[in-house]
Structure formats: structure tokens, C-alpha cells
Coordinates of all heavy atoms in Angstrom, one line a residue:
M1 N 70.9 -64.5 5.8 CA 70.8 -63.2 6.5 C 70.3 -63.5 7.8 O 69.3 -64.3 8.0 CB 69.7 -62.4 5.7 CG 69.8 -61.0 6.0 SD 68.6 -60.1 5.0 CE 67.6 -59.2 6.4
K2 N 70.8 -62.9 8.8 CA 70.6 -63.2 10.1 C 69.1 -63.0 10.5 O 68.6 -63.9 11.2 CB 71.5 -62.4 11.1 CG 72.6 -63.1 11.8 CD 73.1 -62.5 12.9 CE 74.3 -63.1 13.4 NZ 75.4 -62.3 13.7
L3 N 68.5 -61.9 10.2 CA 67.1 -61.6 10.5 C 66.2 -62.7 9.9 O 65.3 -63.0 10.6 CB 66.8 -60.2 10.0 CG 65.4 -59.8 10.3 CD1 65.3 -59.6 11.8 CD2 65.2 -58.4 9.6
T4 N 66.5 -63.0 8.8 CA 65.6 -64.1 8.1 C 65.7 -65.4 8.9 O 64.6 -66.0 9.2 CB 66.1 -64.4 6.7 OG1 66.4 -63.1 6.0 CG2 65.0 -65.1 5.9
L5 N 66.8 -65.7 9.4 CA 67.0 -66.9 10.1 C 66.2 -66.8 11.5 O 65.5 -67.6 11.9 CB 68.5 -67.2 10.5 CG 69.2 -67.9 9.4 CD1 70.7 -68.1 9.8 CD2 68.6 -69.3 9.1
A6 N 66.3 -65.6 12.2 CA 65.6 -65.3 13.4 C 64.2 -65.5 13.1 O 63.4 -66.1 14.0 CB 66.0 -64.0 13.9
L7 N 63.7 -64.9 12.0 CA 62.2 -64.9 11.7 C 61.9 -66.4 11.5 O 60.7 -66.8 12.0 CB 61.9 -64.1 10.6 CG 61.9 -62.6 10.8 CD1 61.5 -61.8 9.5 CD2 60.8 -62.4 11.7
A8 N 62.7 -67.1 10.8 CA 62.3 -68.5 10.5 C 62.3 -69.3 11.9 O 61.3 -70.1 12.0 CB 63.3 -69.1 9.6
A9 N 63.2 -69.0 12.7 CA 63.3 -69.8 14.0 C 62.0 -69.3 14.8 O 61.4 -70.2 15.4 CB 64.5 -69.3 14.8
A10 N 61.6 -68.0 14.8 CA 60.4 -67.6 15.6 C 59.3 -68.3 15.0 O 58.3 -68.7 15.8 CB 60.3 -66.2 15.5
F11 N 59.1 -68.4 13.7 CA 58.0 -69.0 13.0 C 58.0 -70.4 13.5 O 56.8 -70.9 13.8 CB 58.2 -68.9 11.5 CG 57.0 -69.4 10.8 CD1 55.9 -68.6 10.5 CD2 57.0 -70.8 10.4 CE1 54.9 -69.1 9.8 CE2 55.8 -71.3 9.7 CZ 54.8 -70.4 9.3
A12 N 58.9 -71.1 13.5 CA 59.1 -72.6 13.8 C 58.6 -72.8 15.2 O 57.8 -73.5 15.6 CB 60.5 -73.2 13.5
A13 N 59.2 -71.9 16.1 CA 58.9 -72.0 17.5 C 57.4 -71.7 17.8 O 56.8 -72.5 18.5 CB 59.7 -71.0 18.4
A14 N 56.9 -70.7 17.2 CA 55.5 -70.3 17.4 C 54.6 -71.5 16.9 O 53.6 -71.9 17.4 CB 55.2 -69.0 16.7
A15 N 55.0 -72.1 15.7 CA 54.1 -73.1 15.2 C 54.1 -74.3 16.1 O 53.1 -75.0 16.1 CB 54.7 -73.6 13.8
L16 N 55.3 -74.6 16.8 CA 55.4 -75.7 17.7 C 54.5 -75.4 19.0 O 53.8 -76.2 19.4 CB 56.8 -76.1 18.1 CG 57.6 -76.7 17.0 CD1 59.1 -76.9 17.4 CD2 57.0 -78.1 16.6
A17 N 54.7 -74.2 19.4 CA 54.2 -73.9 20.8 C 52.6 -73.6 20.6 O 51.9 -74.0 21.5 CB 54.9 -72.6 21.3
A18 N 52.0 -73.0 19.6 CA 50.8 -72.6 19.6 C 50.2 -72.8 18.1 O 50.4 -71.8 17.4 CB 50.6 -71.2 20.1
P19 N 49.7 -73.9 17.8 CA 49.1 -74.0 16.4 C 48.2 -73.0 16.0 O 48.2 -72.7 14.7 CB 48.5 -75.4 16.4 CG 48.8 -76.0 17.8 CD 49.4 -74.9 18.6
A20 N 47.5 -72.3 16.9 CA 46.5 -71.4 16.4 C 47.1 -70.1 16.1 O 46.7 -69.3 15.2 CB 45.4 -71.1 17.5
Y21 N 48.2 -69.8 16.6 CA 49.1 -68.6 16.4 C 50.3 -69.0 15.7 O 51.3 -69.3 16.4 CB 49.3 -67.8 17.6 CG 48.0 -67.1 18.1 CD1 47.3 -67.8 18.9 CD2 47.8 -65.9 17.7 CE1 46.1 -67.2 19.4 CE2 46.6 -65.3 18.1 CZ 45.7 -65.9 18.9 OH 44.6 -65.3 19.3
A22 N 50.4 -69.0 14.4 CA 51.5 -69.8 13.8 C 52.4 -68.9 13.0 O 52.9 -69.2 11.9 CB 51.0 -70.9 12.8
G23 N 52.9 -67.7 13.5 CA 53.8 -67.0 12.7 C 54.2 -65.7 13.4 O 53.7 -65.3 14.3
P24 N 55.3 -65.0 12.9 CA 55.8 -63.8 13.5 C 54.8 -62.8 13.6 O 54.8 -62.0 14.6 CB 56.9 -63.4 12.6 CG 57.0 -64.4 11.4 CD 56.0 -65.4 11.6
A25 N 53.8 -62.6 12.6 CA 52.9 -61.6 12.7 C 52.0 -61.7 13.9 O 51.8 -60.8 14.8 CB 52.1 -61.6 11.5
E26 N 51.6 -62.9 14.2 CA 50.7 -63.2 15.4 C 51.6 -62.9 16.6 O 51.1 -62.5 17.7 CB 50.2 -64.7 15.4 CG 49.1 -64.9 14.4 CD 49.7 -65.3 13.1 OE1 50.9 -65.1 12.8 OE2 48.8 -65.8 12.2
D27 N 52.9 -63.3 16.6 CA 53.7 -63.0 17.8 C 53.7 -61.5 18.1 O 53.7 -61.2 19.2 CB 55.2 -63.5 17.5 CG 55.3 -65.0 17.7 OD1 54.4 -65.6 18.1 OD2 56.4 -65.5 17.5
V28 N 53.8 -60.7 17.0 CA 54.0 -59.3 17.2 C 52.6 -58.8 17.8 O 52.6 -58.0 18.6 CB 54.3 -58.5 16.0 CG1 54.3 -57.1 16.0 CG2 55.8 -59.0 15.6
I29 N 51.5 -59.3 17.2 CA 50.2 -58.8 17.6 C 50.1 -59.2 19.2 O 49.6 -58.3 19.9 CB 49.1 -59.6 16.9 CG1 49.1 -59.0 15.4 CG2 47.7 -59.3 17.6 CD1 48.0 -59.7 14.5
A30 N 50.6 -60.2 19.6 CA 50.5 -60.7 21.0 C 51.4 -59.8 21.8 O 51.1 -59.2 22.9 CB 50.8 -62.1 21.2
K31 N 52.7 -59.6 21.3 CA 53.7 -58.8 22.1 C 53.3 -57.4 22.2 O 53.5 -56.7 23.2 CB 55.1 -59.0 21.2 CG 56.3 -58.7 22.2 CD 57.6 -58.8 21.4 CE 57.9 -57.5 20.8 NZ 58.5 -57.4 19.5
E32 N 52.7 -56.9 21.1 CA 52.3 -55.4 21.1 C 51.1 -55.1 21.9 O 50.6 -54.1 22.0 CB 52.3 -54.8 19.7 CG 53.6 -55.0 18.9 CD 54.6 -53.8 19.1 OE1 54.1 -52.7 19.7 OE2 55.7 -53.9 18.7
K33 N 50.4 -56.3 22.3 CA 49.1 -56.1 23.0 C 48.0 -55.5 22.2 O 47.3 -54.7 22.8 CB 49.3 -55.4 24.4 CG 50.4 -56.2 25.3 CD 50.2 -55.8 26.7 CE 50.9 -56.6 27.7 NZ 52.2 -57.0 27.3
C34 N 48.0 -55.7 21.0 CA 46.9 -55.1 20.1 C 45.5 -55.6 20.6 O 44.6 -54.8 20.6 CB 47.0 -55.7 18.7 SG 48.6 -55.5 18.0
N35 N 45.6 -56.9 21.3 CA 44.2 -57.3 21.8 C 43.7 -56.7 23.1 O 42.7 -57.0 23.5 CB 44.3 -58.8 21.9 CG 45.5 -59.4 22.2 OD1 46.4 -58.7 22.7 ND2 45.7 -60.7 22.2
K36 N 44.5 -55.7 23.5 CA 43.9 -54.8 24.6 C 42.8 -54.0 24.0 O 41.9 -53.8 24.7 CB 45.1 -53.9 25.0 CG 45.2 -53.8 26.6 CD 46.4 -52.9 27.0 CE 46.5 -51.7 26.3 NZ 47.6 -50.9 26.6
C37 N 42.9 -53.6 22.7 CA 42.0 -52.9 22.1 C 41.2 -53.4 20.9 O 40.1 -53.0 20.5 CB 42.5 -51.5 21.7 SG 43.3 -50.6 22.9
H38 N 41.8 -54.5 20.4 CA 41.2 -55.2 19.2 C 41.2 -56.7 19.5 O 42.2 -57.2 19.9 CB 42.0 -55.1 18.0 CG 42.2 -53.6 17.5 ND1 41.3 -52.8 16.9 CD2 43.4 -52.9 17.7 CE1 41.9 -51.7 16.7 NE2 43.1 -51.7 17.0
T39 N 40.1 -57.4 19.1 CA 40.2 -58.8 19.1 C 39.6 -59.1 17.7 O 39.2 -58.2 16.9 CB 39.4 -59.5 20.1 OG1 38.0 -59.4 19.8 CG2 39.7 -59.0 21.4
E40 N 39.6 -60.4 17.3 CA 39.3 -60.8 16.0 C 37.8 -60.4 15.7 O 37.4 -59.9 14.7 CB 39.4 -62.2 15.8 CG 39.5 -62.6 14.2 CD 39.9 -64.1 14.2 OE1 40.5 -64.7 15.1 OE2 39.6 -64.7 13.1
K41 N 36.9 -60.6 16.7 CA 35.5 -60.5 16.6 C 34.8 -59.5 17.4 O 33.7 -59.2 17.1 CB 34.8 -61.9 16.8 CG 35.2 -63.0 15.9 CD 34.2 -64.1 16.0 CE 34.5 -65.3 15.3 NZ 35.3 -65.3 14.1
T42 N 35.5 -59.1 18.6 CA 34.8 -58.2 19.4 C 35.3 -56.9 19.4 O 36.5 -56.5 19.4 CB 35.0 -58.7 20.9 OG1 34.9 -60.1 20.9 CG2 33.9 -58.2 21.9
T43 N 34.4 -55.8 19.4 CA 34.8 -54.4 19.5 C 35.1 -54.0 20.9 O 34.2 -54.2 21.7 CB 33.7 -53.6 18.9 OG1 33.6 -53.8 17.5 CG2 34.1 -52.1 19.0
K44 N 36.4 -53.6 21.2 CA 36.7 -53.2 22.4 C 36.8 -51.7 22.4 O 36.0 -51.0 21.9 CB 37.9 -54.0 23.0 CG 37.6 -55.4 23.1 CD 38.8 -56.2 23.3 CE 39.2 -56.4 24.9 NZ 40.4 -57.2 25.1
K45 N 38.1 -51.2 22.8 CA 38.4 -49.8 22.6 C 38.5 -49.5 21.1 O 38.1 -48.4 20.6 CB 39.7 -49.4 23.2 CG 40.0 -47.9 23.4 CD 41.0 -47.6 24.3 CE 41.2 -46.0 24.5 NZ 42.0 -45.6 23.5
G46 N 39.1 -50.5 20.4 CA 39.2 -50.4 18.9 C 38.2 -51.3 18.3 O 37.7 -52.2 18.9
P47 N 38.0 -51.2 16.9 CA 37.1 -52.0 16.2 C 37.7 -53.4 16.0 O 38.9 -53.6 16.1 CB 37.1 -51.4 14.8 CG 38.3 -50.5 14.7 CD 38.6 -50.1 16.1
S48 N 36.8 -54.5 15.9 CA 37.4 -55.8 15.8 C 38.0 -55.9 14.4 O 37.7 -55.1 13.4 CB 36.2 -56.8 15.9 OG 35.3 -56.6 14.7
W49 N 38.9 -56.9 14.3 CA 39.5 -57.1 12.9 C 38.5 -57.3 11.9 O 38.6 -56.9 10.8 CB 40.4 -58.3 13.1 CG 41.6 -58.4 13.9 CD1 42.2 -59.5 14.5 CD2 42.6 -57.3 14.3 NE1 43.3 -59.2 15.2 CE2 43.5 -57.9 15.1 CE3 42.6 -56.0 14.1 CZ2 44.6 -57.2 15.7 CZ3 43.6 -55.2 14.6 CH2 44.7 -55.8 15.5
A50 N 37.5 -58.2 12.3 CA 36.5 -58.5 11.4 C 35.7 -57.2 10.8 O 35.5 -57.1 9.6 CB 35.5 -59.5 11.9
S51 N 35.5 -56.3 11.7 CA 34.7 -55.1 11.2 C 35.6 -54.2 10.4 O 35.1 -53.6 9.5 CB 34.1 -54.3 12.5 OG 35.2 -53.8 13.2
I52 N 36.9 -54.3 10.7 CA 37.8 -53.6 9.8 C 37.9 -54.2 8.4 O 37.8 -53.5 7.3 CB 39.2 -53.5 10.4 CG1 39.2 -52.8 11.8 CG2 40.3 -52.9 9.5 CD1 40.5 -52.9 12.6
A53 N 37.9 -55.5 8.4 CA 37.9 -56.2 7.1 C 36.7 -55.9 6.3 O 36.7 -55.7 5.1 CB 38.0 -57.7 7.4
V54 N 35.5 -55.9 7.0 CA 34.2 -55.4 6.3 C 34.3 -54.1 5.8 O 34.0 -53.8 4.6 CB 33.0 -55.6 7.2 CG1 31.8 -54.9 6.7 CG2 32.7 -57.1 7.6
K55 N 34.9 -53.2 6.6 CA 34.9 -51.7 6.1 C 35.8 -51.6 4.8 O 35.5 -50.8 4.0 CB 35.6 -51.0 7.3 CG 35.9 -49.5 7.0 CD 36.4 -48.7 8.1 CE 37.5 -47.8 7.9 NZ 38.1 -47.2 9.0
Y56 N 36.8 -52.4 4.8 CA 37.8 -52.3 3.6 C 37.5 -53.3 2.4 O 38.2 -53.4 1.6 CB 39.2 -52.5 4.0 CG 39.7 -51.2 4.8 CD1 40.1 -51.2 6.1 CD2 39.8 -50.0 4.0 CE1 40.5 -50.1 6.7 CE2 40.3 -48.8 4.7 CZ 40.6 -48.9 6.0 OH 41.1 -47.8 6.7
K57 N 36.4 -54.0 2.6 CA 36.1 -55.0 1.6 C 36.1 -54.4 0.2 O 35.4 -53.3 0.0 CB 34.7 -55.7 2.0 CG 34.5 -57.0 1.2 CD 33.4 -57.8 1.9 CE 33.3 -59.2 1.5 NZ 32.7 -59.3 0.2
G58 N 36.7 -55.0 -0.7 CA 36.7 -54.5 -2.1 C 37.6 -53.3 -2.4 O 37.7 -52.8 -3.4
N59 N 38.3 -52.9 -1.3 CA 39.3 -51.7 -1.4 C 40.6 -52.2 -1.6 O 41.3 -52.7 -0.8 CB 39.2 -50.9 -0.1 CG 40.0 -49.6 -0.1 OD1 40.9 -49.5 -0.9 ND2 39.7 -48.7 0.7
A60 N 41.0 -52.0 -3.0 CA 42.3 -52.5 -3.4 C 43.5 -51.9 -2.5 O 44.5 -52.5 -2.4 CB 42.5 -52.4 -4.9
G61 N 43.3 -50.7 -2.1 CA 44.5 -50.0 -1.4 C 44.5 -50.2 0.1 O 45.3 -49.7 0.8
A62 N 43.6 -51.1 0.5 CA 43.4 -51.3 2.0 C 44.7 -51.9 2.6 O 45.2 -51.3 3.7 CB 42.2 -52.3 2.3
A63 N 45.3 -52.8 2.1 CA 46.5 -53.4 2.7 C 47.7 -52.4 2.8 O 48.2 -52.3 3.9 CB 47.0 -54.6 1.9
D64 N 47.7 -51.5 1.8 CA 48.9 -50.5 1.8 C 48.5 -49.5 2.9 O 49.4 -49.0 3.6 CB 48.9 -49.8 0.5 CG 49.7 -50.6 -0.5 OD1 50.3 -51.6 -0.1 OD2 49.6 -50.3 -1.7
K65 N 47.3 -49.1 3.0 CA 46.8 -48.1 3.9 C 47.1 -48.6 5.4 O 47.7 -47.9 6.3 CB 45.3 -47.8 3.7 CG 44.9 -46.7 4.7 CD 43.5 -46.2 4.3 CE 43.0 -45.0 5.2 NZ 42.2 -45.5 6.4
I66 N 46.8 -49.8 5.6 CA 46.9 -50.3 7.0 C 48.4 -50.5 7.3 O 48.8 -50.2 8.4 CB 46.1 -51.6 7.1 CG1 44.6 -51.2 7.2 CG2 46.4 -52.3 8.4 CD1 43.6 -52.4 7.3
F67 N 49.1 -51.0 6.2 CA 50.5 -51.2 6.4 C 51.2 -49.8 6.9 O 51.9 -49.8 7.8 CB 51.2 -51.6 5.1 CG 52.7 -51.5 5.1 CD1 53.4 -52.5 5.7 CD2 53.3 -50.4 4.5 CE1 54.7 -52.4 5.7 CE2 54.7 -50.4 4.5 CZ 55.4 -51.4 5.2
K68 N 50.9 -48.8 6.2 CA 51.4 -47.5 6.4 C 50.9 -46.9 7.8 O 51.8 -46.5 8.6 CB 50.8 -46.4 5.4 CG 51.6 -45.2 5.3 CD 51.4 -44.5 4.0 CE 52.1 -43.1 3.8 NZ 51.2 -42.0 4.4
Q69 N 49.7 -47.2 8.1 CA 49.2 -46.8 9.4 C 50.0 -47.5 10.6 O 50.4 -46.8 11.5 CB 47.7 -47.0 9.4 CG 47.1 -46.9 10.8 CD 46.0 -47.8 11.0 OE1 45.0 -47.9 10.1 NE2 45.9 -48.5 12.1
L70 N 50.1 -48.7 10.4 CA 50.8 -49.5 11.4 C 52.2 -49.3 11.6 O 52.9 -49.2 12.6 CB 50.6 -51.0 11.3 CG 49.1 -51.5 11.4 CD1 49.1 -52.9 11.1 CD2 48.6 -51.2 12.8
K71 N 52.9 -48.9 10.4 CA 54.3 -48.6 10.4 C 54.7 -47.3 11.1 O 55.5 -47.0 11.7 CB 54.9 -48.6 9.1 CG 56.4 -48.6 8.9 CD 56.8 -48.9 7.5 CE 58.2 -48.6 7.3 NZ 59.2 -49.7 8.0
E72 N 53.7 -46.2 10.8 CA 53.9 -44.9 11.2 C 53.3 -44.5 12.5 O 53.6 -43.6 13.2 CB 53.6 -43.9 10.1 CG 54.4 -44.1 9.0 CD 54.0 -43.3 7.7 OE1 52.9 -42.5 7.8 OE2 54.5 -43.4 6.6
G73 N 52.2 -45.2 12.9 CA 51.5 -44.9 14.1 C 50.9 -43.5 13.9 O 50.5 -43.1 12.9
G74 N 50.6 -42.8 15.1 CA 50.0 -41.6 15.0 C 48.5 -41.6 14.9 O 47.8 -42.5 15.4
K75 N 47.9 -40.5 14.3 CA 46.5 -40.3 14.2 C 45.8 -41.4 13.4 O 46.1 -41.5 12.2 CB 46.1 -38.9 14.0 CG 44.7 -38.7 14.0 CD 44.4 -37.2 14.1 CE 42.9 -36.8 13.9 NZ 41.9 -37.5 14.7
V76 N 44.9 -42.1 14.0 CA 44.1 -43.1 13.1 C 42.6 -42.8 13.4 O 42.2 -43.1 14.6 CB 44.5 -44.5 13.4 CG1 43.4 -45.5 12.7 CG2 45.9 -44.8 13.1
G77 N 41.8 -42.2 12.5 CA 40.5 -42.0 12.8 C 40.4 -41.1 14.0 O 41.0 -40.1 14.1
D78 N 39.6 -41.6 15.1 CA 39.4 -40.8 16.3 C 40.5 -41.1 17.4 O 40.7 -40.5 18.4 CB 38.1 -41.2 17.0 CG 37.0 -40.8 16.1 OD1 37.2 -39.8 15.2 OD2 35.8 -41.3 16.3
E79 N 41.5 -42.1 17.0 CA 42.5 -42.4 18.0 C 43.7 -41.5 17.7 O 44.3 -41.6 16.6 CB 42.9 -43.9 17.7 CG 43.9 -44.5 18.5 CD 43.5 -44.7 20.0 OE1 42.3 -44.4 20.4 OE2 44.4 -45.1 20.8
E80 N 44.0 -40.7 18.6 CA 45.0 -39.6 18.4 C 46.4 -40.1 18.2 O 47.2 -39.5 17.4 CB 45.0 -38.6 19.6 CG 43.7 -37.6 19.5 CD 43.8 -36.8 18.3 OE1 44.8 -36.4 17.7 OE2 42.6 -36.5 17.9
D81 N 46.7 -41.2 19.0 CA 48.1 -41.6 18.9 C 48.1 -43.1 18.9 O 48.4 -43.8 19.9 CB 48.8 -41.1 20.1 CG 50.4 -41.4 20.1 OD1 50.9 -41.6 18.9 OD2 51.0 -41.3 21.1
H82 N 47.7 -43.7 17.7 CA 47.7 -45.1 17.6 C 49.1 -45.7 17.6 O 50.0 -45.1 17.2 CB 47.0 -45.5 16.2 CG 46.6 -47.0 16.2 ND1 47.5 -48.0 15.8 CD2 45.4 -47.6 16.5 CE1 46.8 -49.1 16.0 NE2 45.6 -49.0 16.4
K83 N 49.0 -47.0 18.3 CA 50.2 -47.7 18.4 C 50.9 -47.9 17.1 O 50.4 -48.2 16.0 CB 49.9 -49.1 19.0 CG 51.0 -49.7 19.7 CD 50.5 -50.9 20.4 CE 51.6 -51.7 21.1 NZ 52.3 -50.9 22.1
K84 N 52.3 -47.8 17.2 CA 53.1 -48.1 16.0 C 53.7 -49.4 16.1 O 54.1 -49.7 17.3 CB 54.2 -46.9 16.1 CG 55.2 -47.0 15.0 CD 56.0 -45.6 15.1 CE 57.3 -45.8 14.6 NZ 58.0 -44.5 14.7
V85 N 53.8 -50.1 15.0 CA 54.3 -51.5 15.1 C 55.8 -51.5 14.9 O 56.3 -51.1 13.8 CB 53.7 -52.5 14.2 CG1 54.2 -53.9 14.3 CG2 52.2 -52.5 14.4
E86 N 56.6 -51.9 15.8 CA 58.1 -52.1 15.6 C 58.4 -53.5 15.1 O 58.6 -54.3 15.8 CB 58.8 -51.9 17.0 CG 58.5 -50.5 17.7 CD 59.1 -49.3 17.1 OE1 59.9 -49.5 16.2 OE2 58.8 -48.2 17.5
A87 N 58.4 -53.6 13.8 CA 58.7 -54.9 13.2 C 59.1 -54.6 11.7 O 59.0 -53.6 11.2 CB 57.4 -55.9 13.3
G88 N 59.7 -55.8 11.1 CA 60.0 -55.6 9.7 C 58.8 -55.4 8.8 O 57.7 -55.8 9.2
D89 N 59.1 -54.9 7.6 CA 57.9 -54.6 6.7 C 57.2 -55.8 6.4 O 55.9 -55.8 6.3 CB 58.5 -54.0 5.4 CG 58.9 -52.5 5.6 OD1 58.9 -52.0 6.7 OD2 59.3 -52.0 4.5
D90 N 57.9 -57.0 6.2 CA 57.1 -58.2 5.9 C 56.2 -58.6 7.0 O 55.0 -59.1 6.7 CB 58.1 -59.4 5.7 CG 58.9 -59.3 4.5 OD1 58.6 -58.3 3.7 OD2 59.8 -60.2 4.3
V91 N 56.7 -58.4 8.3 CA 55.7 -58.7 9.4 C 54.6 -57.8 9.3 O 53.4 -58.3 9.6 CB 56.5 -58.7 10.7 CG1 55.6 -59.0 11.9 CG2 57.6 -59.8 10.6
I92 N 54.8 -56.5 9.2 CA 53.7 -55.6 9.3 C 52.6 -55.8 8.1 O 51.5 -55.8 8.3 CB 54.2 -54.2 9.2 CG1 55.2 -53.8 10.3 CG2 53.1 -53.1 9.2 CD1 55.8 -52.5 10.3
K93 N 53.2 -56.3 7.0 CA 52.4 -56.7 5.8 C 51.4 -57.8 6.3 O 50.3 -57.9 5.9 CB 53.1 -57.0 4.6 CG 53.6 -55.7 3.9 CD 54.2 -56.0 2.6 CE 54.7 -54.6 2.0 NZ 56.0 -54.8 1.4
A94 N 52.1 -58.8 6.9 CA 51.5 -60.0 7.3 C 50.3 -59.7 8.4 O 49.3 -60.2 8.3 CB 52.3 -61.0 7.8
I95 N 50.6 -58.6 9.2 CA 49.6 -58.3 10.2 C 48.4 -57.7 9.4 O 47.2 -57.9 9.7 CB 50.1 -57.2 11.2 CG1 51.2 -58.0 12.2 CG2 49.0 -56.7 12.1 CD1 51.9 -57.0 13.0
A96 N 48.6 -56.7 8.5 CA 47.6 -56.2 7.7 C 46.8 -57.3 7.0 O 45.5 -57.2 7.0 CB 48.2 -55.2 6.6
A97 N 47.5 -58.3 6.6 CA 46.7 -59.4 5.8 C 45.8 -60.2 6.8 O 44.8 -60.6 6.5 CB 47.7 -60.4 5.2
I98 N 46.4 -60.4 8.0 CA 45.6 -61.0 9.0 C 44.3 -60.2 9.4 O 43.1 -60.8 9.4 CB 46.4 -61.2 10.3 CG1 47.5 -62.2 10.1 CG2 45.4 -61.7 11.5 CD1 48.4 -62.4 11.3
V99 N 44.5 -58.9 9.6 CA 43.4 -58.0 9.9 C 42.3 -58.2 8.7 O 41.1 -58.4 8.9 CB 43.8 -56.6 10.0 CG1 42.6 -55.7 10.1 CG2 44.6 -56.5 11.4
L100 N 42.8 -57.9 7.5 CA 41.9 -57.8 6.4 C 41.2 -59.2 6.0 O 40.3 -59.3 5.3 CB 42.6 -57.3 5.1 CG 42.9 -55.9 5.3 CD1 43.8 -55.3 4.2 CD2 41.7 -54.9 5.4
S101 N 41.8 -60.4 6.4 CA 41.2 -61.7 6.2 C 40.3 -62.2 7.4 O 39.9 -63.3 7.3 CB 42.3 -62.7 5.8 OG 43.1 -62.8 6.9
S102 N 40.1 -61.3 8.4 CA 39.3 -61.7 9.5 C 37.9 -61.7 9.2 O 37.4 -60.9 8.4 CB 39.6 -60.9 10.7 OG 41.0 -61.1 11.2
K103 N 37.2 -62.6 9.6 CA 35.7 -62.6 9.6 C 35.0 -63.2 10.8 O 35.6 -63.9 11.6 CB 35.2 -63.3 8.3 CG 36.1 -64.3 7.6 CD 35.3 -65.0 6.6 CE 35.9 -65.2 5.2 NZ 37.0 -66.0 5.0
Ligands
LIG1 C1 45.1 -48.2 23.0 C2 44.1 -49.1 22.2 C3 44.7 -49.5 20.9 C4 45.8 -50.4 20.7 C5 46.6 -51.0 21.8 C6 45.8 -50.7 19.4 N1 44.7 -50.2 18.7 FE1 44.4 -50.3 16.7 N2 42.9 -48.9 16.9 C7 42.5 -48.4 18.1 C8 41.3 -47.6 17.8 C9 40.5 -46.8 18.9 C10 41.0 -47.6 16.4 C11 40.0 -46.9 15.6 C12 40.2 -45.6 15.2 C13 39.1 -45.0 14.4 O1 38.8 -45.5 13.4 O2 38.5 -44.0 14.8 C14 42.1 -48.5 15.8 C15 42.1 -48.7 14.5 C16 43.0 -49.7 14.0 C17 42.9 -50.3 12.6 C18 41.9 -49.8 11.6 C19 42.4 -48.6 10.9 C20 41.4 -48.2 9.9 O3 41.9 -47.7 8.8 O4 40.2 -48.4 9.9 C21 43.9 -51.3 12.5 C22 44.3 -52.1 11.3 C23 44.5 -51.4 13.8 N3 44.0 -50.4 14.7 C24 45.5 -52.3 14.1 C25 46.2 -52.4 15.4 C26 47.3 -53.3 15.7 C27 47.8 -54.2 14.6 C28 47.6 -53.1 16.9 C29 48.8 -53.7 17.7 C30 50.1 -53.4 17.1 C31 46.8 -52.1 17.4 N4 45.8 -51.7 16.5 C32 46.7 -51.7 18.7 C33 43.0 -48.7 19.2 C34 44.1 -49.4 19.6

């Protein structure tokens, strides 16, 4: 499948170019400029990934909730029109996993 190949290539390229950011999910986070409002540890306009992970600790539905939120965008908490992620479901799931595994 073409898309799978493209993703694999992107993964390989990212792994070569930047070992700290090693996958399509990290690429999308960079491309969509999520870090304008979120970073791993610092609260900016939005909460840090780590604080989101703490908020959802022990919540089995957290990954699904974040997946849906990122896929659909729109209202998130006090943010009236949260950014929607234009990417495949696998990539969006990977982003949710990155957020929830941050500390
Ligand atoms: C313009 C600023 C802005 C950008 C850009 C942005 N966010 Fe957010 N995001 C926010 C704010 C503000 C909140 C907190 C909303 C609240 O809980 O009141 C938030 C909340 C979240 C949450 C937690 C939601 C929850 O259920 O607690 C996640 C996950 C998230 N953002 C992911 C992302 C990702 C991934 C991107 C990039 C695709 C992104 N955000 C881009 C402002 C932003």
C-alpha cells in the first residue's frame, strides 16, 4: 500500500535526521505546530503533555478520548476551536500515546 510505504519512508527519514524525534507522529506534532501551545513539560497556552498525562492517569478511556478530540478538533475544555490533526488514524493514535506517556 502506497501510504504505508510513504509512512515507512517518513519514519526512516525522521529516524536518520533526528534521533530524538523518531516517527511520523513526532513529525505531525512538529508540522502542526502543537508546540506553539504545548510542550512536553511546560504549560504555555495549552497544558504540557506531562500534565495531560497526569490528568488522565489510570483512565482507560483516555487514549480514545484524545484520539477523538484530535481527529475532530473543535471545542476542548476552554479552547473553543482546538486544532484538528490531519493525519491517518494510526498517526493520531501514536500522538495520543506520546501525550499520555509524557512525564
Ligand atoms: C492555539 C493553541 C493550541 C494549539 C496549536 C494546540 N493546542 Fe492542544 N490545547 C490547547 C489548549 C488551550 C488546551 C486546553 C483546553 C482545556 O482543557 O481547557 C489544549 C488541550 C489539548 C489536549 C488535552 C485535552 C484534554 O482532554 O485534556 C491535548 C491532548 C492536545 N491539546 C493536543 C494537541 C496537539 C496534538 C496539537 C497539535 C496537533 C495541539 N494540541 C495544538 C491549545 C492548543
Side-chain angles (χ1 to χ4, degrees):
M1 203 179 125
K2 254 198 184 131
L3 180 64
T4 314
L5 277 178
L7 281 176
F11 184 87
L16 287 176
Y21 287 88
E26 284 89 347
D27 280 356
V28 170
I29 290 173
K31 199 179 92 215
E32 302 272 348
K33 301 200 169 44
C34 311
N35 35 11
K36 230 174 44 185
C37 300
H38 303 279
T39 69
E40 201 172 339
K41 294 195 190 333
T42 320
T43 297
K44 296 169 91 177
K45 188 164 186 283
S48 68
W49 298 148
S51 69
I52 297 169
V54 167
K55 174 174 140 187
Y56 284 114
K57 197 162 193 283
N59 180 337
D64 282 348
K65 180 169 185 265
I66 289 177
F67 169 77
K68 194 159 173 274
Q69 170 210 312
L70 293 176
K71 194 172 166 70
E72 293 170 4
K75 185 159 167 56
V76 174
D78 297 334
E79 180 75 358
E80 285 299 328
D81 189 18
H82 193 275
K83 199 169 179 66
K84 177 170 155 181
V85 179
E86 305 286 352
D89 287 4
D90 287 356
V91 173
I92 300 178
K93 279 184 190 143
I95 293 173
I98 289 171
V99 171
L100 291 172
S101 65
S102 294
K103 12 175 136 69

